[in-house]
Amino acid sequence: MKIGVYVCHCGVNISNTVDVQKVISEVSALPTVAVCRDYQYMCSDPGQEMIAKDIRELGLDRVVVAACSPRMHEPTFRGAVEAAGMNPYCFEMANIREQCSWVHEDKEQATRKAADLVKSSVARAALLEPLNSTEVPVTHAALVIGGGIAGIQTALDIANSGYPVYLVEKDPSIGGHMAQFDKTFPTLDCAACILTPKMVDVARHPNIELLTYSEVESIEGSVGNFHVRIRKKPRYVNVSLCTGCGSCATACRLVGRIPSEFDMGLGKRGAIYVPFPQAVPLRYTIDPEKCLMLKHGKCGTSPKCVDACDRDAIDFSMTEEILEVDVGAIVVATGYKEFDPTIKREYKYGTFKNVMTGLELERIFAPSGPTGGKALINGKVPKKIVFVSCVGSRDKRIGNPYCSRVCCMYIAKQAHLLKEKIPDADITVMYTDMRAFGKGYEEFYERVQKEGIKYRRGNAAEVYEEDGVLHVRAEDTLMGEPYELEADLVVLGTGLEPSDAADAIGHMLHLSRSADKFFLEAHPKLRPVDTVIDGVFLAGAAQGPKDIPDTVAQASGAASHVVNLLSKDVILAEPIVAEVNTDVCAGCRICEILCPYDAHAFDEERNVMTINKAICKGCGSCAAACPSGAIAMNHFRDSQIVAQILEVI
Amino acid sequence: MDKTMDDIIREGNAYACIQCGRCTGSCPSGRECGLRTRKIIHMARVGIDVFKTEELWDCTTCFTCQERCPKEVKITDIIIELRNLAVKNSYYPSMADVPKIIIQNLYRTGNGQPLSPEVSKLRSIIGLDKEPNDIAKDKEALADFQKLLDGLPLMRWGGI
Ligand SMILES: Cc1cc2nc3c(=O)[nH]c(=O)nc-3n(C[C@H](O)[C@H](O)[C@H](O)COP(=O)(O)OP(=O)(O)OC[C@H]3O[C@@H](n4cnc5c(N)ncnc54)[C@H](O)[C@@H]3O)c2cc1C
Ligand code: SF4
Ligand code: SF4
């Protein structure tokens, strides 16, 4: 056995605390070590070349690099040894930076520990076995979950690259939250003008199969080969017959009686409805919870909608359909939900109708909204308006310690729009800190102040009512003076939380969440659109609060990763997986319950467990738990781990 | 063990404060006087000897600020600890702000704000004993308490 060992200085990150020469002299003495060298930066080109040269010239069997965490550079060095002709799984890494030099101060002891760590890696390396990746074919199609601006952009980018896309949206129309806005910060683009054409493109694109009013039921398989079951909820309207004329909606007995979700409950709809006039697809849907016919089997003498529809499109016998599709990659774009401020009792949301949330006010601005775009609150034009920032954000008490990143700017936008509509309105923004970080945002903030919006640092403490008038109490923290303002409209700058409908998707795909409960990316800086599950990507507010520019950028990023994957005919599956020795397996099925990825399948006939290599992530839970010792983890065999441990104790 | 400024700041989670001012805005006392709750937290964090300030004594310990602080800063707890520190370092509120009568009440009844006839009446309306079971009722305990107070410089200011 000839092992080459390479100790990295990592600039001075390691060598400041660890005596590299001392480590080299100790390790060189080991019988299996053929060569031991050090270098300033092993990961650099000359560093990698040093290893390659030794493999070629000395005929090394194994290579150990003592440097940073394998999470950082294991793939780099595996690639380097493979290029030099060695099996990449014959490479081993000793972490003497994160687990040694960075966490210790005493140089002598740190050096001793570093030497022990390297020696134990050498012991393990001697027992490593060459492993070969298996080739897995790739299904050339993608699934995008969520039809907000994130899902729309992702689907269009993938489809434009020539791959088929299934876009699944749970609501009757795509568009997400952006469809609810009138204008968008900081350019004040009309949201519909920039969004509607994209929605139409999605519907018309030959490569996109748009599945609205649908939900993902189950997902099986792994990267390259996911099998997805999608449930199409019954609309009770035949979409191929419906022309979207809307005669049914005007005729419905319940027209104007049901709070519209799209209008945040401020406007009313009937039991048969489209959420908004630009909906895509522009096809009507019957609300099964409200429709008299569907609930009671009776709607007067005959259902009015049926009478009104010339095309006979209404079909009460419709049932749900299950669609099964195969895809190679999945993008999760499930977006966000607005924070419900009812629990912030001091702001009296829910008690007074003129205390509103940000999203509710968006609908007041919309020409298709409950007031037809007129600035009317409960029928009156508000003259004294107070905005409150950070409601449900930067708030540990309610469990949302993060900044929602869009509220400062949407408050500025809404203050501007109100001032435009009501020039004599007295508008004050009570804020914690002003976060105008994006392109053109600071400039917009300055602009609205010039328009006469008063910004007073210090957030609102409470809202109370006296003689029918609302008062908002706060401290102007720049003056150090408490004050209060009368208000006939209080707008709460409500923050963003992950969508409830994302939970089920997260479970199906085994996605992790970060502390803020949004989906966790594979690396916060270098892999912001990947998840730790291969073939599953993130786009938009599902990954964390985001404005539209960032959402679209991330969506295009996710699409490019998908296209990258789909452009391959086969991919290599990681060979570090668990294997069952069926001669030893007693069929107790303990491993099956533990596997977080559902990689296990029980063979009833032979009464033994089997593991799907394509799904197994090599976490080792099953191997550790198996009472019969029937499961071995490739690359982490008991013998390899024991040799490593014995060397350090 | 005596707490230092640093102990008080850390235990009270003052480093989490974002200076939003919700505490001052919520403070019923600050509306009537110079108490700026947020400012106390700021001064404590930047190393100003805030225990020397008079405003500290305007807090009624109603805990409204602490209940509302979005960063879970234990504001009222901090104020109470700062008062302890103030007394240990012989910084007392000036007599203009804390009338003699409060000290005298404390000595006489064990309570800075003793039971008033109005409150006593309210108590009986809602079915409570006229007097609460506190130190004022227990003559022996009150005598012990007075022994503890005897000799404190604060008592001299109360004319006791
Ligand atoms: C009041 C307010 C005003 C704003 N104004 C602006 C602005 O002016 N400019 C700006 O840049 N940003 C603004 N934003 C931010 C903007 O809303 C987001 O950046 C954007 O909507 C994020 O898009 P998204 O597609 O990621 O999420 P969403 O818009 O939330 O879309 C997610 C979609 O996924 C669907 N979905 C969720 N779960 C499932 C599931 N399990 N299956 C199928 N479908 C599912 C939802 O129904 C929805 O259609 C504002 C935000 C608020 C709250
Ligand atoms: S409410 Fe809390 S976070 Fe805000 S200023 Fe007061 S102590 Fe600081
Ligand atoms: S506890 Fe003190 S500082 Fe806090 S609100 Fe009440 S009186 Fe004001």
Side-chain angles (χ1 to χ4, degrees), chain A residues 554-599:
Chain A
Q554 197 190 18
S556 289
S560 88
H561 282 223
V562 169
V563 168
N564 187 333
L565 175 63
L566 299 189
S567 67
K568 299 185 177 99
D569 287 328
V570 290
I571 45 169
L572 295 177
E574 174 78 76
I576 302 178
V577 289
E579 272 174 31
V580 183
N581 181 343
T582 46
D583 292 341
V584 179
C585 171
C588 72
R589 303 179 77 159
I590 282 180
C591 49
E592 197 178 9
I593 311 162
L594 291 173
C595 178
Y597 307 98
D598 295 336

Side-chain angles (χ1 to χ4, degrees), chain B residues 84-137:
Chain B
N84 289 341
L85 196 66
V87 173
K88 265 174 216 140
N89 289 286
S90 297
Y91 286 92
Y92 300 101
S94 74
M95 293 325 289
D97 290 323
V98 179
K100 264 185 183 163
I101 198 136
I102 292 185
I103 297 171
Q104 289 169 354
N105 280 339
L106 184 72
Y107 194 80
R108 211 165 34 79
T109 67
N111 196 332
Q113 301 254 348
L115 190 70
S116 65
E118 292 82 14
V119 173
S120 194
K121 213 155 129 201
L122 280 175
R123 287 180 62 94
S124 50
I125 290 175
I126 58 169
L128 293 172
D129 287 346
K130 278 197 159 192
E131 287 173 46
N133 259 339
D134 67 7
I135 199 167
K137 228 178 170 181

Side-chain angles (χ1 to χ4, degrees), chain B residues 142-154:
Chain B
L142 186 62
D144 285 347
F145 180 61
Q146 286 169 345
K147 255 183 238 159
L148 286 174
L149 296 181
D150 283 336
L152 282 184
L154 190 66

Side-chain angles (χ1 to χ4, degrees), chain A residues 269-321:
Chain A
R269 59 167 172 83
I272 185 162
Y273 68 105
V274 283
F276 55 106
Q278 303 81 17
V280 169
L282 190 60
R283 297 289 179 267
Y284 278 73
T285 304
I286 297 184
D287 180 346
E289 309 270 292
K290 298 284 159 34
C291 168
L292 300 170
M293 197 63 197
L294 286 170
K295 269 184 74 183
H296 310 293
K298 194 163 172 286
C299 172
T301 43
S302 81
K304 289 238 182 192
C305 52
V306 175
D307 298 343
C309 181
D310 297 338
R311 310 257 311 159
D312 282 339
I314 291 157
D315 176 3
F316 288 112
S317 68
M318 211 176 243
T319 52
E320 66 178 36
E321 269 175 65

Side-chain angles (χ1 to χ4, degrees), chain B residues 23-24 26-30 35-37 40 58-66 75-76 79 83:
Chain B
C23 46
T24 318
S26 300
C27 178
S29 182
L35 173 60
R36 300 291 173 262
T37 322
I40 287 179
D58 290 334
C59 166
T60 64
T61 63
C62 70
F63 281 89
T64 311
C65 53
Q66 187 155 328
I75 313 169
T76 319
I79 291 177
R83 286 177 176 176

